[in-house]
Amino acid sequence: MAGSTLGTIFKITTWGESHGRGIGVVIDGCPAGLPLTKEDIQIFLNRRKPGQSRYATPRKEDDSVEILSGTFEGKTTGTPISLMVANQNQRSGDYSEIAGFYRPGHADYTFHEKYGFRDYRGGGRSSGRETIGRVAAGAVAHKILGQLGISFTTYTKSIGPITISSFDKNAIWENPLYMPDMDAAKKAGEYLDECMKNKDSSGGVVECVVTGIPAGIGDPVFEKLDANLAKAILSIGAVKGFEIGDGFQAAKSLGSCNNDSFCQSTEKGIHKTTNHSGGVLGGISDGDSLIFRAAIKPTPSISSPQKTVNTSGENIEVSIKGRHDPVIVPRAVVVVESMAALTILDALLLNMTAKMEGICEFYKIR
Amino acid sequence: MAGSTLGTIFKITTWGESHGRGIGVVIDGCPAGLPLTKEDIQIFLNRRKPGQSRYATPRKEDDSVEILSGTFEGKTTGTPISLMVANQNQRSGDYSEIAGFYRPGHADYTFHEKYGFRDYRGGGRSSGRETIGRVAAGAVAHKILGQLGISFTTYTKSIGPITISSFDKNAIWENPLYMPDMDAAKKAGEYLDECMKNKDSSGGVVECVVTGIPAGIGDPVFEKLDANLAKAILSIGAVKGFEIGDGFQAAKSLGSCNNDSFCQSTEKGIHKTTNHSGGVLGGISDGDSLIFRAAIKPTPSISSPQKTVNTSGENIEVSIKGRHDPVIVPRAVVVVESMAALTILDALLLNMTAKMEGICEFYKIR
Amino acid sequence: MAGSTLGTIFKITTWGESHGRGIGVVIDGCPAGLPLTKEDIQIFLNRRKPGQSRYATPRKEDDSVEILSGTFEGKTTGTPISLMVANQNQRSGDYSEIAGFYRPGHADYTFHEKYGFRDYRGGGRSSGRETIGRVAAGAVAHKILGQLGISFTTYTKSIGPITISSFDKNAIWENPLYMPDMDAAKKAGEYLDECMKNKDSSGGVVECVVTGIPAGIGDPVFEKLDANLAKAILSIGAVKGFEIGDGFQAAKSLGSCNNDSFCQSTEKGIHKTTNHSGGVLGGISDGDSLIFRAAIKPTPSISSPQKTVNTSGENIEVSIKGRHDPVIVPRAVVVVESMAALTILDALLLNMTAKMEGICEFYKIR
Amino acid sequence: MAGSTLGTIFKITTWGESHGRGIGVVIDGCPAGLPLTKEDIQIFLNRRKPGQSRYATPRKEDDSVEILSGTFEGKTTGTPISLMVANQNQRSGDYSEIAGFYRPGHADYTFHEKYGFRDYRGGGRSSGRETIGRVAAGAVAHKILGQLGISFTTYTKSIGPITISSFDKNAIWENPLYMPDMDAAKKAGEYLDECMKNKDSSGGVVECVVTGIPAGIGDPVFEKLDANLAKAILSIGAVKGFEIGDGFQAAKSLGSCNNDSFCQSTEKGIHKTTNHSGGVLGGISDGDSLIFRAAIKPTPSISSPQKTVNTSGENIEVSIKGRHDPVIVPRAVVVVESMAALTILDALLLNMTAKMEGICEFYKIR
């Protein structure tokens, strides 16, 4: 089947592989009348660009986005917005070697089994470059949500064994690992230096906090807000786990501790006094901040020797050449945020039809 | 929007609430020619029935399923299979009290905010009884997968702080908590007794292992097998986390450890020598066992006093009356297994169109 | 695949066959807060009931609907509405004969080829009884549209060669053929008497006029309002053609005649002075009445002898026993109206997200 | 909502407007291993190009397609195929005038009502250029169907009052109107000359015959093959009617005439002796040729004076400047064929999961 389309109302379709002509996304269902320039999108793409620290690939990629359709006089028209980033740094020659075997931890083997052959250049469609389409579309979703008062704080919570122990929002942008704790960032940097020395790589955890979501977003049963978030986040390559609110910790907890009390006050109206739920009850937003985490595995491309099988079916030992990110977590931060924005926006648009009252008022019939 | 339909080819739509006429599911897209009796389904429903141990609600519910359509002469016809379980134990009177306030940890408040009012009887659509439709449909999916050589082992991995430390498959069915470790089951039982004494409740973790899935199932990008599994699992009420393979542990790991080597041998063909991936690479099954876990929060209904707000907006203190499960984890085991079966079957059916070669052979044109 | 689910927001799934336990529909995505009783639905079902004239099957079928879920205190709750009509008149014995051959004009052969076998009792899933689910769901859509000021006039435009030559809305309910012209109805009745005498059957045309649809409903490109109407109408068994506005006549027309002029007046605002378009321009409603027609083939069950093949592959001659409607057009009127209501409602709900302005106003953020 | 995505398995998303950067389509779900070059697609695009006769716009448009992703070493990889045709002939200046009023018969008014403003340059998204994406995707579907033995004959059946009275397949390519009857083509040409002289335009009918479809394709109820065809065809701008087999003629017919007898013979197996059904029974292909027709309205852009309203709400008289096609029917032929190919292919792929037997055989488990 397909697999490259996401969303019901705000629907995106991504395309492109590491070494084709480019990477793109078509956004269908974007509301008309949103002011949109390519700079709005470029800012988000820049957050995932490689070459920004010594912990990320030194490849220079411009990743400059073009708006091919869907805007007129600086505003969205309601028709599909086609965005494209041309691939500039294509050196197919580099990949002749990996054509011959299945890299451990990569999708080489599974693509081959599914499709009968594979575009082996730079991982093809399973390359990290595939996320460009997600981030470009996420930037547009982000802008719409901003107009509705919804905002995101997304950061690296841990790298390998190093976890943040304090939270300073400003610190996020002051270290190349996007950690909200400068001490943890320093230790994580040293840990990554060690990984690189050992020709090894590290995983980590990304956390995302979303504020301003009104209560009532998400649908019961299969289209729960957190269920769709889980899908969106797990659909990012290298993500191996998702949790919302207390997550796996809730499994060890007691009901008396895990339940959040409701409280009424003049300033806040009805609200929860704690947020173990992470902002969702029964799959529907509860008016509190949405808080979730994504577990990201270590970069599978490592230069230390590994055992595998070649395409002739022989057991061999390989070392992945080239320089690779010892950790992809910092570059994944904006991808996680983008997937969350896309999911929340779609749920918000779908929610407009929940009540007869809202529908009648919208169509001004009483 | 909707929210009660799941799947692309094998598509299910569930309906019903705790205190309506019944709970049901329509399976649309079930292949024709599958032998199917109501006993095939009843076996699965019995696994989620309450009243089977002192850790589950003592309500007597027969939960007897009827096949209303879609079979003829004992086989599925390819047309929609409508399954229904009548509600027998409806005592709306019991619920007059909770109509007046929002229970902490439940979906009372969020349903009210979304829809303007709510069916407060027994949780309405957000009741645990909603899972009957999932399990009934899952039983059919399970039977089809069985014919394709795919089987499931699902069990309680932990209850509160008590985690299994050994694995005996037979033990799963020998204790009311469905734990594959009799010692752990005993300790968990004692822990739950303590919870009950304290008018409190516990969470836990369910683990599911699926064997026999061929390599190549699942689609790249948004329809990854693990992404759809994550959605399916998080769509179960009370689930707060999902992880596949090493999951959150992978975030602390090194690439050299987390990568699974490929190996070729005469007996096994190409296979992985370890399974940190949990059976999925790049969102596509890798031929190994699928292994994933679901974190389940403590039952929100507890009889100890809690603070909340009533529907008049006043701060009050409540104790939830009636006897409630101190833990829902054991009853969730079959629900988790059902959601996995539905997800895997749909991916397997979708995979049939991945290659021209397979399509041409199917239509016998060469 | 599936095939029994329709709609994006207001999504219906029908189930059931002629001789199973019953026929039903699940409506998922119905807005909360709509007053709904089973009488609202029964009125529509009564319009498609057999046995109401000598031109319709004399079978007595009660077709009494039950609401199994989705309402509370007389109003819809936003959760799935499950509706069911039990089959009461099941005489499987009657069908032992037709089990052995493929009836001309019916789906016997195609179901057999698709699924490998078929439920031959009364046409199984391809029976006219399948439309009960459509009409029950259509009644709910109709009620919502009524609250938004949208109403339907649907009637028989022609029976065989007899076409209406005048229009009297009240006449529709005064003759068993639902024609808005009593003279034509009389002639059509005589024509049908002749058909019955000849053991033959007749086709006809249903026309539907929908007033009150605001301009702007429907989406460009593939989800045009008329495209979705065409699909909905052609999905009714026995429909062989669809046209909107001038339809096939437009193909013979000139641009100068077919174009509708726009005009501005104080009473009507911007409006069209003619309606060759049938209320749709570029797939989007233009504020005028929606007008479309459905061509319905003659009832395939006729008692005069026909040539066909039996399931052993032998050429045989058959006469279909039992008494059958010489025309199904009058009973199709409410089915056509129902499918139109479902299509228009879904488009109307989807349209709420077309503009940033509307979204911001809905969420009261400026 | 969206609206620019079509299909379940073979899913296409089109983008682009008349005067943006280009027009494109993303095909998601194309099976892997199909040999595909841009020439395969260009041949189809050339069939819809303007400037090929004096009855079509004299604009020179190269409409040269590029494959941006989804192929490797000359074959499809199973990942999204992104196709783009750059717009070369953009003269926005030309459109400053029509920005100020609503052209009769066009979507100017409805787009404005839906989205609050419109890209008025060349019709924007409702331009005929939008069909480029359909035809490019249709070319790929056509190639796959060709490998499965399915082929298309599509032609102009009538122009205004001139209908073909004989059928010579070779003639189709020998006249600029694509009519299979040279005499009719000559008369239709004269009729169009007359239209042009009168600053007027003409409609017409396109007919499509598809051979080689196996019995069993299409699904019962809402996803009938003919229902999806009707939607696909009505989604083409300017189409006002659809009929299959005898279509509207069937409404005037008798059952004894309209029913097709089945017959068994050694050469042909079970087949129908006539084809009033047009190749579909109960929404499922019956093994016979699929035959359907599309009614196309006269080109709305005419240079004779018309009454309309300007964007300030004043009644005005306008003449559309520039030279326009007096008829779009010939250029619509390949668009109709493309939409049919897309619909049939998707149904064919979906059909692979209809029977347990086929699934088990596919996965080689017995």
Side-chain angles (χ1 to χ4, degrees):
Chain A
M1 207 227 4
S4 295
T5 296
L6 186 80
T8 299
I9 301 286
F10 192 88
K11 188 179 283 195
I12 71 166
T13 302
T14 69
W15 57 268
E17 39 269 330
S18 179
H19 283 64
R21 295 281 297 275
I23 301 280
V25 62
V26 181
I27 304 170
D28 196 18
C30 182
L34 177 77
L36 187 72
T37 64
K38 66 181 184 176
E39 286 67 35
D40 290 326
I41 299 158
Q42 195 62 49
I43 294 166
F44 279 75
L45 287 176
N46 291 348
R47 286 172 63 192
R48 71 161 292 292
K49 257 205 272 189
Q52 310 202 105
S53 79
R54 73 179 190 283
Y55 309 118
T57 55
R59 288 194 305 276
K60 271 288 265 282
E61 294 176 12
D62 266 348
D63 289 353
S64 178
V65 72
E66 294 175 90
I67 301 180
L68 301 178
S69 71
T71 61
F72 182 58
E73 298 178 343
K75 286 187 295 180
T76 58
T77 59
T79 60
I81 303 170
S82 179
L83 304 174
M84 176 174 170
V85 169
N87 286 336
Q88 304 190 312
N89 205 352
Q90 306 171 27
R91 296 153 304 173
S92 296
D94 294 353
Y95 295 96
S96 52
E97 191 199 351
I98 66 163
F101 61 85
Y102 305 119
R103 288 171 298 163
H106 278 282
D108 299 346
Y109 175 68
T110 55
F111 267 66
H112 186 98
E113 287 297 295
K114 184 172 195 76
Y115 296 117
F117 75 122
R118 67 186 161 99
D119 180 349
Y120 47 76
R121 299 166 303 164
R125 182 72 173 148
S126 70
S127 160
R129 279 188 72 73
E130 174 262 315
T131 60
I132 286 175
R134 301 170 183 246
V135 173
V140 180
H142 201 279
K143 182 153 193 189
I144 296 171
L145 292 174
Q147 298 210 354
L148 298 168
I150 296 169
S151 59
F152 294 78
T153 309
T154 320
Y155 46 86
T156 300
K157 190 182 180 74
S158 68
I159 298 275
I162 319 295
T163 303
I164 56 167
S165 56
S166 64
F167 186 89
D168 172 6
K169 195 170 168 174
N170 296 323
I172 297 172
W173 303 94
E174 287 167 9
N175 68 83
L177 300 174
Y178 299 125
M179 294 181 99
D181 171 349
M182 292 305 281
D183 278 349
K186 187 164 172 291
K187 282 181 208 152
E190 289 160 4
Y191 178 76
L192 290 174
D193 287 337
E194 194 67 19
C195 284
M196 290 164 82
K197 207 181 297 169
N198 299 335
K199 302 182 173 180
D200 214 332
S201 63
S202 173
V205 171
V206 172
E207 188 166 70
C208 179
V209 180
V210 195
T211 57
I213 305 177
I217 307 305
D219 284 282
V221 192
F222 302 124
E223 303 297 329
K224 290 186 164 82
L225 182 57
D226 41 347
N228 276 314
L229 265 177
K231 175 174 177 171
I233 299 305
L234 262 287
S235 80
I236 304 169
V239 174
K240 303 299 287 183
F242 170 89
E243 53 179 17
I244 187 154
D246 285 4
F248 276 86
Q249 199 54 39
K252 297 184 182 160
S253 187
L254 294 168
S256 58
C257 161
N258 188 69
N259 283 351
D260 301 309
S261 292
F262 288 102
C263 179
Q264 152 76 24
S265 72
T266 338
E267 321 84 64
K268 293 187 174 182
I270 296 176
H271 63 282
K272 289 153 48 202
T273 54
T274 52
N275 193 11
H276 297 289
S277 76
V280 175
L281 282 170
I284 300 171
S285 64
D286 63 16
D288 211 331
S289 295
L290 199 74
I291 304 178
F292 70 87
R293 282 170 295 285
I296 295 175
K297 73 176 186 180
T299 321
S301 290
I302 52 174
S303 44
S304 52
Q306 298 182 87
K307 291 184 176 170
T308 190
V309 171
N310 67 18
T311 49
S312 314
E314 296 159 332
N315 292 309
I316 57 169
E317 192 173 275
V318 300
S319 310
I320 309 298
K321 288 180 186 156
R323 211 185 127 196
H324 296 277
D325 294 13
V327 71
I328 56 170
V329 177
R331 294 181 60 193
V333 166
V334 69
V335 183
V336 165
E337 183 171 309
S338 296
M339 295 309 295
L342 291 165
T343 305
I344 293 163
L345 174 56
D346 204 41
L348 212 100
L349 296 176
L350 284 167
N351 180 58
M352 291 175 69
T353 60
K355 279 186 284 199
M356 274 310 290
E357 194 189 338
I359 297 165
C360 288
E361 202 177 317
F362 186 91
Y363 283 112
K364 302 276 179 287
I365 288 155
R366 275 159 256 244
Chain B
M1 203 216 23
S4 294
T5 295
L6 185 81
T8 299
I9 301 285
F10 192 89
K11 188 178 282 193
I12 72 166
T13 301
T14 69
W15 57 268
E17 41 268 329
S18 180
H19 283 65
R21 295 281 297 276
I23 302 277
V25 62
V26 181
I27 304 170
D28 195 17
C30 181
L34 177 77
L36 186 73
T37 65
K38 67 181 184 178
E39 287 69 34
D40 291 325
I41 298 159
Q42 196 62 50
I43 294 167
F44 279 76
L45 288 175
N46 291 349
R47 287 171 63 190
R48 73 161 290 293
K49 259 205 272 191
Q52 310 203 105
S53 78
R54 74 177 191 283
Y55 309 118
T57 56
R59 291 192 303 276
K60 269 289 267 282
E61 294 176 13
D62 266 347
D63 289 352
S64 178
V65 73
E66 294 176 90
I67 301 179
L68 302 177
S69 71
T71 61
F72 181 57
E73 298 178 343
K75 287 188 296 182
T76 59
T77 59
T79 60
I81 302 170
S82 179
L83 304 173
M84 175 174 171
V85 169
N87 286 336
Q88 302 190 314
N89 204 353
Q90 308 171 23
R91 296 152 305 172
S92 296
D94 293 353
Y95 296 96
S96 52
E97 190 198 351
I98 66 164
F101 61 85
Y102 305 120
R103 290 171 298 164
H106 277 283
D108 299 348
Y109 175 68
T110 55
F111 267 66
H112 186 96
E113 287 298 295
K114 185 173 194 76
Y115 297 117
F117 77 123
R118 69 188 159 97
D119 180 350
Y120 48 75
R121 301 165 304 164
R125 182 73 175 147
S126 70
S127 160
R129 279 189 72 72
E130 174 261 315
T131 60
I132 286 175
R134 301 170 184 247
V135 173
V140 180
H142 202 279
K143 183 154 192 188
I144 296 171
L145 292 174
Q147 297 210 355
L148 297 169
I150 296 168
S151 60
F152 294 77
T153 308
T154 320
Y155 46 86
T156 300
K157 190 182 179 75
S158 69
I159 297 276
I162 319 295
T163 303
I164 56 167
S165 57
S166 63
F167 186 89
D168 172 7
K169 194 170 168 174
N170 296 323
I172 297 171
W173 303 93
E174 288 167 8
N175 68 83
L177 300 174
Y178 299 124
M179 294 182 100
D181 170 349
M182 293 304 282
D183 279 351
K186 188 165 171 292
K187 282 180 207 153
E190 289 160 6
Y191 178 77
L192 291 174
D193 287 337
E194 195 65 20
C195 285
M196 289 164 81
K197 207 180 297 168
N198 300 334
K199 303 182 174 183
D200 213 332
S201 64
S202 172
V205 171
V206 172
E207 187 165 71
C208 178
V209 180
V210 195
T211 56
I213 304 177
I217 307 307
D219 283 282
V221 191
F222 302 125
E223 301 298 329
K224 289 188 165 81
L225 182 56
D226 40 347
N228 276 313
L229 265 177
K231 174 174 178 172
I233 298 306
L234 261 289
S235 81
I236 304 169
V239 173
K240 302 300 286 183
F242 169 88
E243 53 180 15
I244 188 155
D246 285 4
F248 276 86
Q249 199 53 41
K252 297 184 182 161
S253 187
L254 295 168
S256 59
C257 162
N258 188 68
N259 282 351
D260 300 310
S261 293
F262 288 103
C263 178
Q264 152 75 26
S265 73
T266 339
E267 321 83 66
K268 295 187 174 180
I270 296 176
H271 63 282
K272 288 154 48 203
T273 54
T274 52
N275 192 12
H276 297 289
S277 76
V280 175
L281 283 169
I284 301 171
S285 64
D286 63 16
D288 211 331
S289 295
L290 200 74
I291 303 177
F292 69 87
R293 282 169 296 284
I296 296 173
K297 73 176 185 180
T299 321
S301 290
I302 52 174
S303 44
S304 52
Q306 300 181 87
K307 293 186 174 165
T308 189
V309 171
N310 66 18
T311 49
S312 313
E314 297 158 333
N315 292 310
I316 57 170
E317 191 173 274
V318 299
S319 310
I320 309 298
K321 287 180 187 156
R323 212 186 124 194
H324 296 277
D325 295 12
V327 71
I328 57 169
V329 177
R331 293 180 62 193
V333 166
V334 69
V335 183
V336 166
E337 184 171 310
S338 295
M339 295 309 295
L342 291 164
T343 305
I344 293 163
L345 175 57
D346 203 41
L348 212 100
L349 296 176
L350 284 167
N351 180 59
M352 290 175 71
T353 61
K355 279 186 286 197
M356 275 308 290
E357 194 189 339
I359 296 165
C360 288
E361 202 178 316
F362 186 91
Y363 282 112
K364 302 276 176 290
I365 285 156
R366 273 160 260 244
Chain C
M1 207 226 7
S4 294
T5 296
L6 186 80
T8 299
I9 301 285
F10 192 88
K11 188 179 281 194
I12 71 165
T13 301
T14 69
W15 58 268
E17 40 267 332
S18 179
H19 283 64
R21 295 280 298 275
I23 302 279
V25 61
V26 181
I27 304 170
D28 195 19
C30 182
L34 177 78
L36 186 73
T37 64
K38 67 181 183 177
E39 287 68 35
D40 291 324
I41 299 159
Q42 196 62 50
I43 295 167
F44 279 76
L45 288 176
N46 292 348
R47 287 171 62 191
R48 72 162 290 292
K49 258 205 271 189
Q52 309 203 107
S53 80
R54 74 179 190 285
Y55 310 118
T57 56
R59 288 194 305 275
K60 270 289 265 281
E61 294 175 12
D62 267 348
D63 289 352
S64 178
V65 72
E66 294 175 90
I67 301 179
L68 302 177
S69 70
T71 61
F72 180 58
E73 298 177 344
K75 287 187 296 181
T76 58
T77 59
T79 60
I81 302 170
S82 179
L83 304 174
M84 177 174 170
V85 169
N87 287 336
Q88 303 189 314
N89 205 354
Q90 306 171 25
R91 298 152 303 173
S92 296
D94 293 354
Y95 295 97
S96 52
E97 190 199 349
I98 65 163
F101 61 85
Y102 305 119
R103 290 171 297 164
H106 278 282
D108 298 348
Y109 175 67
T110 55
F111 267 66
H112 186 97
E113 287 298 295
K114 185 172 195 77
Y115 297 117
F117 77 122
R118 67 188 161 99
D119 180 349
Y120 48 75
R121 300 165 304 164
R125 181 73 174 146
S126 69
S127 161
R129 281 187 71 72
E130 174 261 316
T131 60
I132 286 175
R134 301 170 184 247
V135 173
V140 180
H142 202 279
K143 182 153 192 189
I144 296 171
L145 292 174
Q147 298 211 353
L148 298 169
I150 296 168
S151 59
F152 293 78
T153 308
T154 321
Y155 46 87
T156 301
K157 189 182 180 76
S158 69
I159 298 275
I162 319 296
T163 303
I164 57 168
S165 55
S166 63
F167 186 89
D168 171 7
K169 194 170 168 175
N170 296 323
I172 296 172
W173 302 93
E174 288 168 8
N175 68 85
L177 299 175
Y178 299 124
M179 292 181 100
D181 170 349
M182 292 305 280
D183 278 349
K186 187 164 171 292
K187 283 181 208 152
E190 289 159 6
Y191 179 76
L192 290 175
D193 287 337
E194 194 67 17
C195 284
M196 288 163 82
K197 207 181 299 171
N198 299 335
K199 303 183 173 179
D200 214 332
S201 63
S202 173
V205 171
V206 172
E207 189 166 70
C208 179
V209 181
V210 194
T211 56
I213 305 178
I217 307 306
D219 283 283
V221 192
F222 302 124
E223 302 297 330
K224 289 187 163 82
L225 182 56
D226 41 347
N228 276 314
L229 265 178
K231 174 174 177 171
I233 298 306
L234 262 287
S235 81
I236 304 170
V239 174
K240 302 301 286 183
F242 169 89
E243 53 179 16
I244 187 154
D246 286 3
F248 276 87
Q249 200 54 41
K252 297 184 183 161
S253 188
L254 294 168
S256 58
C257 162
N258 188 69
N259 282 351
D260 301 309
S261 292
F262 288 102
C263 178
Q264 152 76 24
S265 73
T266 338
E267 322 83 65
K268 294 188 173 180
I270 296 175
H271 63 283
K272 288 154 48 202
T273 54
T274 51
N275 192 11
H276 298 288
S277 76
V280 175
L281 283 170
I284 301 172
S285 63
D286 62 17
D288 211 330
S289 295
L290 200 74
I291 304 177
F292 70 87
R293 281 169 297 284
I296 296 175
K297 73 176 185 181
T299 321
S301 290
I302 52 174
S303 45
S304 52
Q306 300 182 87
K307 292 185 176 167
T308 191
V309 172
N310 66 18
T311 48
S312 313
E314 296 159 333
N315 291 309
I316 58 170
E317 192 174 274
V318 300
S319 309
I320 309 297
K321 288 181 185 153
R323 210 185 127 198
H324 296 276
D325 295 13
V327 71
I328 56 171
V329 176
R331 293 180 61 194
V333 166
V334 69
V335 183
V336 166
E337 183 170 310
S338 296
M339 295 309 296
L342 291 164
T343 305
I344 293 163
L345 174 56
D346 204 40
L348 213 99
L349 296 176
L350 283 167
N351 180 59
M352 291 175 68
T353 60
K355 278 186 286 199
M356 274 309 290
E357 195 189 338
I359 297 164
C360 289
E361 202 177 317
F362 186 92
Y363 282 113
K364 302 276 179 288
I365 288 156
R366 275 160 258 245
Chain D
M1 206 223 9
S4 295
T5 296
L6 185 80
T8 299
I9 301 284
F10 192 89
K11 188 179 281 193
I12 71 166
T13 302
T14 69
W15 57 268
E17 40 268 330
S18 179
H19 284 64
R21 295 281 297 276
I23 302 278
V25 61
V26 181
I27 305 169
D28 196 18
C30 182
L34 178 77
L36 187 73
T37 64
K38 67 181 184 178
E39 286 69 34
D40 290 325
I41 298 159
Q42 195 62 50
I43 294 167
F44 279 75
L45 288 176
N46 291 349
R47 287 171 63 191
R48 74 163 288 292
K49 259 205 272 190
Q52 309 202 105
S53 79
R54 73 176 190 283
Y55 308 118
T57 54
R59 289 194 305 276
K60 270 287 265 283
E61 294 176 12
D62 267 348
D63 289 353
S64 178
V65 72
E66 294 176 89
I67 301 179
L68 301 177
S69 71
T71 61
F72 181 56
E73 298 179 343
K75 288 188 296 183
T76 58
T77 59
T79 60
I81 301 170
S82 179
L83 303 174
M84 176 174 172
V85 169
N87 286 337
Q88 302 189 314
N89 204 354
Q90 306 170 27
R91 296 153 306 173
S92 295
D94 294 352
Y95 296 96
S96 51
E97 190 198 350
I98 65 164
F101 61 86
Y102 305 120
R103 290 171 297 163
H106 278 283
D108 299 348
Y109 175 68
T110 55
F111 267 66
H112 186 97
E113 287 299 294
K114 184 171 194 77
Y115 297 117
F117 76 123
R118 68 187 160 99
D119 180 350
Y120 48 75
R121 300 166 303 163
R125 182 72 175 148
S126 70
S127 160
R129 280 189 73 71
E130 174 261 315
T131 60
I132 286 176
R134 301 170 184 247
V135 173
V140 180
H142 202 278
K143 182 154 193 189
I144 297 172
L145 292 174
Q147 297 210 354
L148 297 169
I150 296 168
S151 59
F152 294 78
T153 308
T154 321
Y155 45 87
T156 301
K157 190 182 178 75
S158 68
I159 297 276
I162 319 295
T163 303
I164 56 167
S165 57
S166 65
F167 186 89
D168 172 7
K169 194 170 167 174
N170 295 322
I172 298 171
W173 302 93
E174 288 168 7
N175 68 83
L177 300 174
Y178 300 125
M179 293 182 100
D181 170 347
M182 292 305 282
D183 277 351
K186 188 165 171 290
K187 281 180 209 152
E190 289 160 5
Y191 178 77
L192 291 175
D193 287 337
E194 196 66 19
C195 285
M196 289 163 81
K197 207 180 298 171
N198 299 336
K199 302 182 175 182
D200 213 331
S201 64
S202 172
V205 171
V206 172
E207 187 165 70
C208 178
V209 180
V210 195
T211 55
I213 304 177
I217 307 305
D219 283 282
V221 192
F222 303 124
E223 301 298 329
K224 289 186 166 81
L225 182 57
D226 40 347
N228 276 313
L229 265 177
K231 174 174 177 171
I233 298 306
L234 262 289
S235 80
I236 303 170
V239 173
K240 302 300 287 184
F242 169 88
E243 54 179 14
I244 187 155
D246 286 3
F248 276 86
Q249 200 52 42
K252 298 183 182 162
S253 187
L254 295 167
S256 58
C257 162
N258 187 68
N259 282 352
D260 302 307
S261 292
F262 288 102
C263 178
Q264 152 76 24
S265 73
T266 339
E267 322 82 67
K268 293 188 174 180
I270 296 176
H271 63 281
K272 289 155 46 203
T273 55
T274 52
N275 192 12
H276 297 288
S277 76
V280 175
L281 282 169
I284 301 172
S285 64
D286 63 16
D288 211 330
S289 295
L290 200 75
I291 303 178
F292 70 87
R293 282 169 296 285
I296 296 174
K297 74 176 186 181
T299 321
S301 291
I302 52 174
S303 44
S304 52
Q306 299 182 88
K307 292 185 174 167
T308 190
V309 172
N310 67 17
T311 50
S312 313
E314 297 158 333
N315 292 310
I316 58 170
E317 191 173 273
V318 300
S319 311
I320 309 297
K321 288 181 186 155
R323 210 184 127 198
H324 296 276
D325 295 12
V327 71
I328 56 169
V329 177
R331 292 180 62 194
V333 167
V334 68
V335 183
V336 166
E337 184 170 310
S338 295
M339 295 309 294
L342 291 164
T343 305
I344 293 164
L345 175 56
D346 204 40
L348 212 99
L349 296 176
L350 283 166
N351 181 58
M352 291 175 70
T353 61
K355 280 186 285 199
M356 274 309 290
E357 194 189 338
I359 297 165
C360 288
E361 203 178 315
F362 186 91
Y363 283 112
K364 304 275 179 288
I365 287 156
R366 275 159 255 245

